Amino acid sequence: MKVVKFGGSSLANSEQFKKVGDIIRADKDRKYVIPSAPGKRFSKDTKVTDLLYRLADEALQKEDFSGTLEEIKERYNEIIEGLGLEGFSLDDQFEEIKKHMTESPEVDYAASRGEHLNGRIMAEYLGFEFLDPFEMVFFDEEGLLDDKKTMRTVGKRLEEVDYAVIPGFYGCGADGKVKTFSRGGSDITGSIVAGACHADVYENWTDVSGFLVADPRIIKNPARIETITYRELRELSYMGASVLHDEAIFPVRRQGIPINIRNTNRPDDEGTWIVESTAQKSGYVITGIAGRKDFCAVLITKDMMNSEIGFGRKVLQAFEDNQISFEHMPSGIDTMTIVVHEDEFIAKEQKVVSAIHRLVKPDSIEIESDLALIAVVGRGMKSMRGTAGRIFSALAHAHVNVRMIDQGSSELNIIIGVENKDFETALQAIYDIFVLTQL
Ligand code: ASP
């Protein structure tokens, strides 16, 4: 049995809806469908969710929101007409939204209607049952997913239904009102449903044929990743690669359910498989490369640091007291470097420096900015000789000066710090040495 989630671009208009219909009907194991709201039809277009946020804003300011509501209505009407759903209309729902947003305007309620309405159309189009996540997905007092209650409720409900459409992105808050996940949250709903009904696969359909080895905005036509492990994915997405919502892997991962990222516009492409573990080699030693610019390194030096018990803890205390999270911490015998995000750090910089002075009395503190970090990730690097060597010789050939190196003992990734200005050159050099030379 398969749970299938379709992203906004897959459902942007009736033409896309038809492709989705074909995909679902092509495989009777595709039993539970999680739709997003209609996304962009072209690059300058506005997603329905963004229109709904605008509507909520207008309603809260007590402005006239009828123009925005009309715009949203037109998006759905095009889909309904294009699919030839005679006798079906969302007029009642739109009346209800108007009333709700006039009497008690709520942002989450408004935003959730994008998925809700799309789900109603989808259920009608496929002849599947419509299940409202408001009755099955629960959040706790702190606004976090109430995992146990949700899984139990969804699991029970699905036992009674063979084929269903369950809108993504929202559920019921602790106060009994509609509450949404953060943006892109339909991925999480799909994962919850897949986990709750013990699906064989969670198919996540989008507009790309899976994950790419590197960012296509920097590397031309990068190769596709066929199989990636959850842990590799975490490393890469933390470093800026994104296709899937960060929180979407947990409900399926716990049960060893694989996620298959697929392309609605190229349904025959195999896409990328995200799995717990695999014996499959990636073919390139590395699985992916990702990176981000604008980090700062705070270098703390003190003679005989290594024999001073509690030194590291006190240094980190200075960051914690200022509510700054650190990214990496390479160290030497008498030095310790804390890598932080520039935008988080700059405003509190002097406070942190004085706190470190007070807490550990270092010989010196130096701050370097404009640092970019690149993560080279791959399960294949483990026990493979020469990987680091290849990376560094490629960077040397490309005239990139390496400012920092950090390799975890898991050997799953190597983090390299370079200057911001060398970022693109470095990515290209690493990509070329591992992928281009193998093709
Ligand atoms: N429609 C919501 C958004 O645009 C959620 C989603 O698409 O997953 O963020």
Side-chain angles (χ1 to χ4, degrees), residues 5 8 36-37 47 49 115 169 182-187:
K5 179 258 167 180
S36 281
K47 292 180 176 187
T49 307
E115 274 64 15
F169 191 40
S182 56
R183 295 300 302 265
S186 299
D187 284 339

mmCIF file of all heavy atoms in Angstrom, residues 5 8 36-37 47 49 115 169 182-187, ligand 1:
data_model
loop_
_atom_site.group_PDB
_atom_site.id
_atom_site.type_symbol
_atom_site.label_atom_id
_atom_site.label_comp_id
_atom_site.label_asym_id
_atom_site.label_seq_id
_atom_site.Cartn_x
_atom_site.Cartn_y
_atom_site.Cartn_z
ATOM 1 N N LYS A 5 1.694 11.873 -1.664
ATOM 2 C CA LYS A 5 1.487 13.293 -1.389
ATOM 3 C C LYS A 5 1.854 14.088 -2.637
ATOM 4 O O LYS A 5 2.869 13.800 -3.280
ATOM 5 C CB LYS A 5 2.362 13.700 -0.195
ATOM 6 C CG LYS A 5 2.249 15.160 0.185
ATOM 7 C CD LYS A 5 3.410 15.973 -0.305
ATOM 8 C CE LYS A 5 3.140 17.456 -0.200
ATOM 9 N NZ LYS A 5 4.268 18.280 -0.680
ATOM 10 N N GLY A 8 2.240 21.543 -4.279
ATOM 11 C CA GLY A 8 1.432 22.595 -4.882
ATOM 12 C C GLY A 8 1.584 22.727 -6.392
ATOM 13 O O GLY A 8 0.602 22.945 -7.111
ATOM 14 N N SER A 36 -1.518 19.160 -1.432
ATOM 15 C CA SER A 36 -1.198 20.520 -0.982
ATOM 16 C C SER A 36 -2.241 21.444 -1.574
ATOM 17 O O SER A 36 -3.136 21.012 -2.296
ATOM 18 C CB SER A 36 0.163 20.954 -1.532
ATOM 19 O OG SER A 36 1.204 20.416 -0.813
ATOM 20 N N ALA A 37 -2.063 22.732 -1.340
ATOM 21 C CA ALA A 37 -2.920 23.734 -1.979
ATOM 22 C C ALA A 37 -2.363 24.025 -3.372
ATOM 23 O O ALA A 37 -1.199 23.756 -3.633
ATOM 24 C CB ALA A 37 -2.907 24.993 -1.129
ATOM 25 N N LYS A 47 1.055 31.521 -4.962
ATOM 26 C CA LYS A 47 0.451 30.286 -4.439
ATOM 27 C C LYS A 47 -0.852 30.626 -3.732
ATOM 28 O O LYS A 47 -0.939 31.677 -3.071
ATOM 29 C CB LYS A 47 1.365 29.670 -3.373
ATOM 30 C CG LYS A 47 2.669 29.129 -3.854
ATOM 31 C CD LYS A 47 3.409 28.582 -2.642
ATOM 32 C CE LYS A 47 4.698 27.933 -3.070
ATOM 33 N NZ LYS A 47 5.359 27.248 -1.978
ATOM 34 N N THR A 49 -1.899 29.430 -1.013
ATOM 35 C CA THR A 49 -1.614 29.628 0.416
ATOM 36 C C THR A 49 -1.199 31.077 0.689
ATOM 37 O O THR A 49 -1.607 31.676 1.681
ATOM 38 C CB THR A 49 -0.505 28.664 0.885
ATOM 39 O OG1 THR A 49 -0.878 27.342 0.511
ATOM 40 C CG2 THR A 49 -0.294 28.718 2.381
ATOM 41 N N GLU A 115 -5.533 23.715 1.327
ATOM 42 C CA GLU A 115 -5.462 22.257 1.260
ATOM 43 C C GLU A 115 -6.871 21.659 1.376
ATOM 44 O O GLU A 115 -7.210 20.716 0.683
ATOM 45 C CB GLU A 115 -4.600 21.707 2.405
ATOM 46 C CG GLU A 115 -3.106 21.626 2.163
ATOM 47 C CD GLU A 115 -2.384 22.941 1.964
ATOM 48 O OE1 GLU A 115 -2.962 24.002 2.278
ATOM 49 O OE2 GLU A 115 -1.247 22.925 1.488
ATOM 50 N N PHE A 169 -1.069 19.738 5.732
ATOM 51 C CA PHE A 169 -0.725 21.052 6.289
ATOM 52 C C PHE A 169 -1.437 21.459 7.580
ATOM 53 O O PHE A 169 -0.973 22.327 8.269
ATOM 54 C CB PHE A 169 -0.964 22.114 5.204
ATOM 55 C CG PHE A 169 -0.435 23.494 5.482
ATOM 56 C CD1 PHE A 169 0.803 23.694 6.100
ATOM 57 C CD2 PHE A 169 -1.162 24.627 5.116
ATOM 58 C CE1 PHE A 169 1.299 24.977 6.323
ATOM 59 C CE2 PHE A 169 -0.681 25.906 5.341
ATOM 60 C CZ PHE A 169 0.534 26.079 5.948
ATOM 61 N N SER A 182 4.319 24.410 9.925
ATOM 62 C CA SER A 182 5.023 25.506 9.259
ATOM 63 C C SER A 182 4.931 25.290 7.743
ATOM 64 O O SER A 182 4.482 24.222 7.289
ATOM 65 C CB SER A 182 6.474 25.572 9.735
ATOM 66 O OG SER A 182 7.101 24.348 9.535
ATOM 67 N N ARG A 183 5.369 26.267 6.974
ATOM 68 C CA ARG A 183 5.228 26.208 5.523
ATOM 69 C C ARG A 183 5.808 24.906 4.962
ATOM 70 O O ARG A 183 6.818 24.407 5.424
ATOM 71 C CB ARG A 183 5.928 27.411 4.852
ATOM 72 C CG ARG A 183 5.320 28.755 5.177
ATOM 73 C CD ARG A 183 3.880 28.892 4.779
ATOM 74 N NE ARG A 183 3.550 28.683 3.383
ATOM 75 C CZ ARG A 183 3.441 29.646 2.466
ATOM 76 N NH1 ARG A 183 3.670 30.889 2.803
ATOM 77 N NH2 ARG A 183 3.075 29.372 1.227
ATOM 78 N N GLY A 184 5.162 24.400 3.955
ATOM 79 C CA GLY A 184 5.615 23.147 3.362
ATOM 80 C C GLY A 184 5.163 21.926 4.157
ATOM 81 O O GLY A 184 5.577 20.798 3.898
ATOM 82 N N GLY A 185 4.257 22.150 5.133
ATOM 83 C CA GLY A 185 3.926 21.099 6.095
ATOM 84 C C GLY A 185 3.099 19.931 5.572
ATOM 85 O O GLY A 185 2.905 18.958 6.291
ATOM 86 N N SER A 186 2.609 20.009 4.339
ATOM 87 C CA SER A 186 1.865 18.850 3.823
ATOM 88 C C SER A 186 2.766 17.617 3.760
ATOM 89 O O SER A 186 2.280 16.489 3.852
ATOM 90 C CB SER A 186 1.325 19.131 2.417
ATOM 91 O OG SER A 186 0.458 20.223 2.454
ATOM 92 N N ASP A 187 4.054 17.838 3.599
ATOM 93 C CA ASP A 187 5.014 16.719 3.634
ATOM 94 C C ASP A 187 4.895 15.952 4.945
ATOM 95 O O ASP A 187 5.039 14.734 4.981
ATOM 96 C CB ASP A 187 6.455 17.251 3.564
ATOM 97 C CG ASP A 187 6.854 17.686 2.169
ATOM 98 O OD1 ASP A 187 6.217 17.246 1.203
ATOM 99 O OD2 ASP A 187 7.821 18.465 2.051
HETATM 100 N N1 ASP B 1 0.421 24.992 1.146
HETATM 101 C C1 ASP B 1 1.337 25.088 2.218
HETATM 102 C C2 ASP B 1 2.505 25.978 1.824
HETATM 103 O O1 ASP B 1 2.492 26.579 0.776
HETATM 104 C C3 ASP B 1 1.802 23.755 2.692
HETATM 105 C C4 ASP B 1 2.395 22.853 1.648
HETATM 106 O O2 ASP B 1 2.311 23.122 0.453
HETATM 107 O O3 ASP B 1 2.997 21.854 2.031
HETATM 108 O O4 ASP B 1 3.426 26.111 2.578
#
